[in-house]
Amino acid sequence: MTEETIFSRIIKGEIPCDEVYNDSVCLAFRDIQPQAPIHILVIPKKPIESLKDAGPEDKELLGHLLLISSKIASQQGLTNWRTIINTGEEAGQTVFHLHLHIIGGRKLDWPPG
Ligand code: AMP
């Protein structure tokens, strides 16, 4: 069984969040430690630890997360932004519930650190 994370507790309503979008498949809220003027997390309600744990059965869900993240970015007034999925500790993943970062509102450097 997938371990409880801060994000599964947010989904259950046990921890508050600054919600920007909610549907039957996913929830989006502002990151508590924003790295840019706009920094939003999009998480599936299904508890998937990391992108590497998603399977073919999650194809529609993953497409939904990407399309919704684009819709949210546009609704936030962004025309340029970055969508990031950190996978694994060495890539910077700290919460082991799959999430997409939407980061924008400032010039973003490349490559990332
Ligand atoms: P990652 O490092 O890719 O796993 O991203 C996890 C993100 O979750 C970080 O950017 C944190 O700032 C953010 N975060 C952790 N706890 C909360 C919370 N309670 N509400 C909103 N964002 C959070």
Side-chain angles (χ1 to χ4, degrees), residues 20-63:
V20 296
Y21 180 85
N22 193 349
D23 67 20
S24 60
V25 175
C26 68
L27 174 66
F29 50 89
R30 293 188 192 282
D31 196 292
I32 206 165
Q33 276 193 297
Q35 301 301 316
I38 305 278
H39 187 170
I40 292 167
L41 302 171
V42 184
I43 69 174
K45 292 187 175 171
K46 178 179 175 182
I48 301 171
E49 283 184 26
S50 286
L51 186 57
K52 65 178 161 50
D53 301 304
E57 68 280 10
D58 299 311
K59 202 164 148 183
E60 198 171 322
L61 180 151
L62 294 173

Side-chain angles (χ1 to χ4, degrees), residues 7 10 29-33 41 86 92-95 99 101:
F7 290 173
I10 287 174
F29 50 89
R30 293 188 192 282
D31 196 292
I32 206 165
Q33 276 193 297
L41 302 171
N86 293 325
Q93 186 174 6
T94 57
V95 179
H99 51 282
H101 296 255

